[in-house]
Amino acid sequence: MTPRFRTRTAPALLLVLLTAASLTAAQTEAPQASDKDASKANVLITVRIGKTEGSNRIPVKSYSLVVADGTPGAKLLSGQRVPFPTASKQTADGSGDDGGEMKDFIYQNIGFVTEARVRLLDKKTIHLIAEIEDSRMRESQDGKPPIVETRQLRVNAMLTDGVPLELTRVEGISDQAGFVEVEAKILR
C-alpha cells in the first residue's frame, strides 16, 4: 500500500467505525420518556346499566374502575361463578349425588365484566376502548336448564371529561327496555 492511499482511507474508516459505534450505543440505551409522552393522570370510568320507563332513565347497576392514561388498561369482574352440569355418570358402588349418579360441572362467570383502556387526547377529551359484558341467570321452566342472558358491548368512543355518554339503548330484551352509558372523569 502506498502512503497516499493509507492516509485517505484511515480517516474514512475511522468515521465509519465511530458512526457504527454511536448507532449501536443509541440502540442499546433505554429510551427516555419525555414529559409529553408520560402518563400524568388516572381516569375514573363509570358504567351505568339501567332501564327505561317512558322517557325516564332509571339506573339499575353502576360499576366504577380507575384506568391509567396510556397503559394496557384495567379489568373488573363482579359476579359469581355458577356451576352448570355437563354430564352424568352412574357409579358402580352406588355412591354419588343421586344414589349412584355423579355429575360433572363447568363453572361460568355470571355478572359484570369490563376491560378498559384510555388515552387522554387533551385536557377534556378521553379516548375509551372497552369491552363490557353483563350477564344474569333466568330461572328454568319445566325442568329445563337455566338460561344465561348476556349483553356484550365493544366500545371505541370519544368522551368529554365528566359528561355521560349513552352507548346503546335496547328495546324488548327481557321485556324491559334499557340503556348502557359510560362516563369518564380525569382524576387530577
Side-chain angles (χ1 to χ4, degrees), residues 73-84:
K75 180 177 181 176
L76 171 67
L77 168 62
S78 176
Q80 53 189 336
R81 293 180 53 80
V82 177
F84 288 94

Side-chain angles (χ1 to χ4, degrees), residues 1-13:
M1 227 187 253
T2 64
R4 185 174 166 201
F5 179 74
R6 207 178 303 153
T7 57
R8 286 185 178 173
T9 307
L13 183 59

Side-chain angles (χ1 to χ4, degrees), residues 45 65 67 71-76 114-118 128-131:
I45 302 295
L65 175 67
V67 183
T71 66
K75 180 177 181 176
L76 171 67
T114 189
E115 288 189 52
R117 291 181 297 162
V118 296
L128 171 70
I129 297 175
E131 292 195 25

Side-chain angles (χ1 to χ4, degrees), residues 94-167:
S95 63
D97 299 337
D98 295 324
E101 185 178 4
M102 293 286 291
K103 293 184 181 177
D104 290 331
F105 293 90
I106 61 165
Y107 289 81
Q108 181 175 341
N109 291 327
I110 305 294
F112 179 83
V113 180
T114 189
E115 288 189 52
R117 291 181 297 162
V118 296
R119 169 80 59 201
L120 298 178
L121 301 179
D122 58 39
K123 291 182 180 183
K124 292 186 176 187
T125 309
I126 303 154
H127 181 204
L128 171 70
I129 297 175
E131 292 195 25
I132 301 168
E133 179 179 317
D134 184 43
S135 60
R136 73 193 92 208
M137 273 187 24
R138 291 181 60 184
E139 292 299 318
S140 62
Q141 297 177 6
D142 303 327
K144 293 181 181 177
I147 295 171
V148 177
E149 269 184 14
T150 188
R151 289 155 193 81
Q152 294 180 341
L153 183 62
R154 183 171 290 174
V155 179
N156 189 344
M158 299 299 199
L159 304 170
T160 302
D161 185 24
V163 178
L165 176 65
E166 186 175 280
L167 298 173

